[in-house]
Amino acid sequence: MDMTGLIAGGVALLAASAYGVVHRRRAGRVRAVPAATDPVPPLQADLLTDLGVPPGQVTLLQFSSAFCAPCRTTRVVCAEAARTTPGVAHVEVDAESRLDAVRALDIWKTPTVLIVDAHGRIAGRAQGAPTRAQVLAAVAPLLPAAAELTEEKA
């Protein structure tokens, strides 16, 4: 009896399972973006302003698409985080209607949430639906900087 088909099926099942585990662990996790010592590039600053990112606030900039189920979950999580955390705003962008921003900010899938600090720098990025705890953990270190920037302007 030939066992080649059985072995090939077992290897395929094992590979698919490993991929599923890795994908599930990475989805929604907020990855820090290396901090830039340079000021925000003018093109990026103009783009963020055009997308509705308020200056001086930590912003959860969410890229979504119309038929994306995880985008709805992400919208609720980000809106709740912005509503309950002073100094945090949530802006949702339709990725299909803003392809210029999608290309400029290197968005590859929806939902993608960019965490923009009070100075307009992208401090974090989450692809997939993050949990509330992940969003709050990513935003927390940026809040003192937002408060200091607000005090400087006053």
Side-chain angles (χ1 to χ4, degrees):
M1 179 177 222
D2 189 15
M3 299 281 291
T4 307
L6 186 59
I7 292 171
V11 169
L13 183 61
L14 185 62
S17 296
Y19 172 77
V21 168
V22 169
H23 178 39
R24 186 174 179 100
R25 288 192 62 159
R26 291 186 69 191
R29 189 179 77 207
V30 178
R31 293 183 314 228
V33 174
T37 55
D38 300 334
V40 179
L43 180 63
Q44 181 178 320
D46 291 344
L47 179 60
L48 292 175
T49 302
D50 187 40
L51 291 173
V53 173
Q57 275 193 300
V58 175
T59 305
L60 302 169
L61 179 59
Q62 176 187 348
F63 285 86
S64 302
S65 54
F67 299 105
C68 168
C71 294
R72 290 188 284 275
T73 303
T74 302
R75 177 184 310 119
V76 170
V77 168
C78 290
E80 178 69 15
R83 188 177 62 76
T84 59
T85 310
V88 176
H90 172 234
V91 175
E92 187 173 5
V93 175
D94 179 25
E96 295 171 22
S97 66
R98 292 304 309 262
L99 291 177
D100 59 328
V102 167
R103 289 183 187 109
L105 297 171
D106 200 28
I107 306 298
W108 285 87
K109 65 185 263 187
T110 58
T112 293
V113 178
L114 301 179
I115 293 107
V116 182
D117 71 8
H119 301 285
R121 295 183 190 101
I122 297 171
R125 170 185 294 260
Q127 293 182 323
T131 64
R132 185 174 192 275
Q134 290 170 325
V135 169
L136 293 176
V139 166
L142 304 175
L143 291 176
E148 290 171 11
L149 189 62
T150 305
E151 289 173 6
E152 287 175 9
K153 289 183 177 181

